[in-house]
Amino acid sequence: MLLPHITVFFLVVGTSRSSDTIAVHQNISDGQTIVSANAKFELGFFSPGSSKNRYLGIWYKNTSPQTTIAWVANRETPLIDTSGVIKLDNQGNLTLVNGSGKVIWSSNSSATGTNMNLVAQLLDTGNLVIKNGNETNNEIVIWQSFDYPGDTCLPGMKLGKNFITGRETYQTSWRSTDDPSPGEYTLSISAVKGEYQQVYIRRSSAIKTRIGPYNGVSFSGRANYAPDASPASVSYVIVNENEIYITFISNSNTTTLRTVLTPDGKLEILQQKFPNTEWILISTLPVDYCDIYGVCGPYGSCNTATSPNCGCLKGFELKNSDDTSPDNGTSVCRRGTALDCGPGEGFQKFSSMKLPDTKNAVYSSNMSLSDCAVACKNNCACTAYANPNITPGGVGCLLWFGDLIDVRVFPQNGQDLYVRLAASELSDLHASFHRKKRVVMVVTLSIAAVLTLLGLILAFYIRRRWKKKSYVEREGRPKNTLNKGDSSQIGSAEVPLFSLAKISRATNDFSVDNKLGEGGFGPVYKGVLEEGQEIAVKRLSRSSGQGLVEFENEVICIAKLQHRNLVKLLGYCIQGDDRMLIYEYLPNKSLDNFLFDESRKSLLDWPQRFQIIHGIARGLLYLHQDSRLKVVHRDLKAGNILLDYQMRPKISDFGLARMFEEGESEADTKRVVGTLGYISPEYAMKGHFSVKSDIFSFGVLVLEIVSGKKNKDFVHEDHDDNLLGHAWRLYREGKPLDLIDECFGTSYSAYEVLRSVHVGLLCVQHRVEDRPDTQTVVAMLGGEGSLPSPNKPAFYIQEGEINSPSILPLLSSSVNGVTFSQVDGR
Ligand SMILES: *[C@@H]1O[C@H](CO)[C@@H](O)[C@H](O)[C@H]1NC(C)=O
Ligand SMILES: *[C@@H]1O[C@H](CO)[C@@H](O)[C@H](O)[C@H]1NC(C)=O
Ligand SMILES: *[C@@H]1O[C@H](CO)[C@@H](O)[C@H](O)[C@H]1NC(C)=O
Ligand SMILES: *[C@@H]1O[C@H](CO)[C@@H](O)[C@H](O)[C@H]1NC(C)=O
Ligand SMILES: *[C@@H]1O[C@H](CO)[C@@H](O)[C@H](O)[C@H]1NC(C)=O
Ligand SMILES: *[C@@H]1O[C@H](CO)[C@@H](O)[C@H](O)[C@H]1NC(C)=O
Ligand SMILES: *[C@@H]1O[C@H](CO)[C@@H](O)[C@H](O)[C@H]1NC(C)=O
Ligand SMILES: *[C@@H]1O[C@H](CO)[C@@H](O)[C@H](O)[C@H]1NC(C)=O
């Protein structure tokens, strides 16, 4: 029996209006909002992040305002209190005034003409428009928020330049998540007349990353460009006499997209699939070293698959032969042989490239590739050419004059680039044929024969290689045979096997920068697959000793476990001693990052925390009971609860938990794994575990979520009890509400808090049989009936009681005696 939805309640100040318009002289004050016709967007006042300042903004209606603000009016002039009022004057000027009547922000718009029927309206696109006239009477838009983008670009918004007014629109990052005033980063299209279109992310005026050029379909140059995003959206580049701009639209009724330029200068493309309200990050830029603009210098070529990443394009070499790699300063690439515009000069083709910065290029739309080659060849200053257009049959010609900058290798979605080289630098085969032109016929023929033979051998070899390779690639492609919502075919599940090379590339060779942390079973790395998907790679400790078959069986079992409150397994990797599990990546990291961090804990308000408690309980119920396998997690703790975009919890690390056979309900182990502070007494002392030992850990977690304090590190000035003892004490003294995290202030539901503390205490009872089962826990959290009184909790495990915890990998199977694997190293 699963319970219906939890009611999440937000503290709404004031009342909501259901209209989507603001009429002349109508006042909207803080607490009131206007809502677009189909309730997609809402306009009103909000405070970002942990800020107390008030801003007038537009947000997505059915998601939490903190995370999905689409537009902000008074970015630079916050209100310091809730006295703000918006009104539309009879000239069509929308103004925001504070409590003293001082104008904080205004649209500065004014209507011309006489028959006015002025109104400000919030459209379902998220655009706030001020209109004059109406459908029957020459309606014109005199102002729109879409002309003033902030950090977010919505479908239909234009970024570019109007050549008549000279006005340029671009995305600007927020200063921080708490401060929407313009930050250091901007994202803009190169809006110089005649220049080919590409997009730059700049920090102040310095280019940090270049996206593009436009390839007729989208902006190329994104390593993690997610192909599945393309059917849902189309980007357009519009160039005409008067303006140049880029825009994108969603061409699907079931998905929508937005792009955000984050305070640290990353472009994030997020997608929402209805009816889900969750935003999924489908692409980020920059993601790797090669995304740093011009990182390898002129004529350098960046490749994440090589080490070092920077090298010179073929035909170019390092200026200083002692250098190992070019970069944007010390050593640069230069031509092996200078150009002299001689007749032998030709073009070297480079495939799978991100085309160089088109700042130095000239574009002709109607030229075929062969015409393009001739045009470049005939102009001694032309250094390279390419057809940027990848649409089927699409033509176009880019001619570069000057240095080639910001080139990188893109195995999956690169394009062909033809670079001018001196005759002697052109490909050896090509050159040797040139030199041997005058050799007698017989010799030519015998060479041809040898070459043919060689070619045949080579072809045979390549074919074999190719077969092997395509097999590996086929293996590597995630297959969705599992998510049919049916787990009846255990054993036939296919879990994608990833190659070590692929994982290595995705994680930048397991670089320290990509390391997310150290879990109980080894380090965890963040990675980005070539397809763009972000992953978390758990590299299991080498000395596991577990057999291959057992490991594969376990992976298949894990893959069967699919629930919204469990982290999803995407695949695995085995190579030699290396074992890796590949999971979906969750950007908000783990619960402990918020809960126990003074600066971030306020980001989790009570409704969110209550939702997290519920989510964990439901995930646990699934593991314990609802999945075909019965799984005891054994290491439930805040560090193993990951949070998605909406702060929804997902239990992780369950993959290496113990799976029970049908009919089995408890077991003993000689290897106790778990974390101090969360581990139940019977498990710690006797190695005895069951779903009730998970329930114990869950109880600890609930009390931690309520209090924002860590059981293990808990100290109190009045007594020596741990958090459980403290909660028990408060409960007995009749003041359990004193347990709550101070950062809530008064905004919480006392009923929910009391209920949570009560359930938490029931779960941490000393006697196993006193603790409720998982289904009861879920029912109690959501229900209204009275609850049994808890008995004394087991709170004897305190730091210091366990001497010299040794760190053992869970997978080892030949350890005697009870040992703690203290996995909470953070
Ligand atoms: C709107 O507010 C102004 C003062 O800011 C006040 O003079 C006016 O009466 C208000 N109008 C309405 C309709 O409440
Ligand atoms: C309104 O803004 C002015 C100027 O910024 C400031 O002096 C005044 O204190 C503000 N009044 C209120 C009620 O916020
Ligand atoms: C409106 O005009 C004022 C004064 O010219 C200016 O400071 C302000 O930035 C303008 N507001 C907008 C939204 O353009
Ligand atoms: C709009 O209102 C503001 C504040 O009253 C004022 O400074 C600005 O000049 C007005 N703009 C127009 C075009 O009326
Ligand atoms: C349109 O505007 C005219 C003039 O203000 C008004 O008479 C008419 O009723 C309006 N029509 C609608 C549909 O609002
Ligand atoms: C989307 O909805 C519109 C109007 O409801 C309809 O005309 C169109 O065919 C739909 N498009 C798709 C792809 O379903
Ligand atoms: C190259 O650029 C990167 C990023 O802008 C910077 O960190 C690095 O120091 C630069 N290298 C040199 C040699 O200037
Ligand atoms: C390109 O070719 C098409 C058809 O041949 C022609 O209609 C168009 O005007 C040409 N455009 C340019 C810019 O030359």
Side-chain angles (χ1 to χ4, degrees), residues 339-352:
L339 295 176
D340 58 5
C341 212
E345 269 178 23
F347 294 91
Q348 174 74 43
K349 177 176 173 180
F350 294 87
S351 297
S352 303

Side-chain angles (χ1 to χ4, degrees), residues 478-613:
K479 287 171 192 155
N480 284 331
T481 50
L482 279 170
N483 48 14
K484 297 280 192 295
D486 171 45
S487 51
S488 59
Q489 321 160 2
I490 295 179
S492 65
E494 286 179 77
V495 193
L497 175 65
F498 289 77
S499 70
L500 183 62
K502 185 170 179 137
I503 299 304
S504 230
R505 270 199 305 278
T507 56
N508 249 329
D509 219 2
F510 300 99
S511 87
V512 183
D513 294 343
N514 284 41
K515 193 159 163 177
L516 292 169
E518 189 86 30
F521 315 105
V524 183
Y525 297 88
K526 183 185 170 176
V528 181
L529 295 179
E530 276 151 14
E531 303 90 80
Q533 180 164 26
E534 290 187 300
I535 54 172
V537 179
K538 184 183 289 276
R539 196 171 194 175
L540 304 176
S541 317
R542 269 167 196 266
S543 55
S544 77
Q546 193 194 29
L548 202 65
V549 177
E550 289 100 309
F551 179 72
E552 283 189 320
N553 281 342
E554 203 154 321
V555 167
I556 290 170
C557 288
I558 300 167
K560 291 270 173 209
L561 298 170
Q562 299 221 0
H563 186 268
R564 59 195 296 222
N565 294 113
L566 300 183
V567 172
K568 192 163 158 195
L569 182 79
L570 302 174
Y572 68 112
C573 169
I574 302 180
Q575 191 129 352
D577 277 348
D578 267 319
R579 307 272 158 86
M580 279 163 250
L581 293 173
I582 292 112
Y583 288 100
E584 66 179 319
Y585 171 74
L586 293 166
N588 279 328
K589 308 233 174 78
S590 53
L591 180 59
D592 57 343
N593 270 312
F594 290 91
L595 220 47
F596 309 132
D597 184 296
E598 287 310 315
S599 60
R600 269 181 299 217
K601 54 169 40 183
S602 60
L603 296 175
L604 282 183
D605 58 12
W606 175 252
Q608 274 170 326
R609 292 199 199 187
F610 194 54
Q611 198 177 15
I612 288 170
I613 293 173

Side-chain angles (χ1 to χ4, degrees), residues 278-314:
E278 184 184 357
W279 286 99
I280 317 279
L281 184 61
I282 55 172
S283 178
T284 314
L285 205 102
V287 290
D288 57 29
Y289 183 73
C290 295
D291 281 337
I292 301 171
Y293 177 76
V295 70
C296 300
Y299 304 107
S301 168
C302 199
N303 188 347
T304 50
T306 62
S307 177
N309 291 162
C310 279
C312 292
L313 286 169
K314 187 174 176 303

Side-chain angles (χ1 to χ4, degrees), residues 51 70 104 117-118 128 171 187 231 247 251 318 330 338-339 366 505 537 578 596 615 643 689 702 759 796 822:
S51 168
I104 297 295
N117 190 30
L118 281 165
L128 176 67
Q171 261 169 292
L187 179 147
T247 188
N251 66 355
L318 289 166
T330 52
L339 295 176
N366 266 5
R505 270 199 305 278
V537 179
D578 267 319
F596 309 132
L643 299 172
F689 66 91
V702 169
V759 170
Y796 64 94
Q822 187 179 7

Side-chain angles (χ1 to χ4, degrees), residues 465-477:
R465 287 275 309 229
W466 181 82
K467 270 187 159 170
K468 226 165 123 184
K469 188 163 165 247
S470 63
Y471 172 65
V472 169
E473 279 176 353
R474 220 172 327 125
E475 274 181 325
R477 194 166 304 127

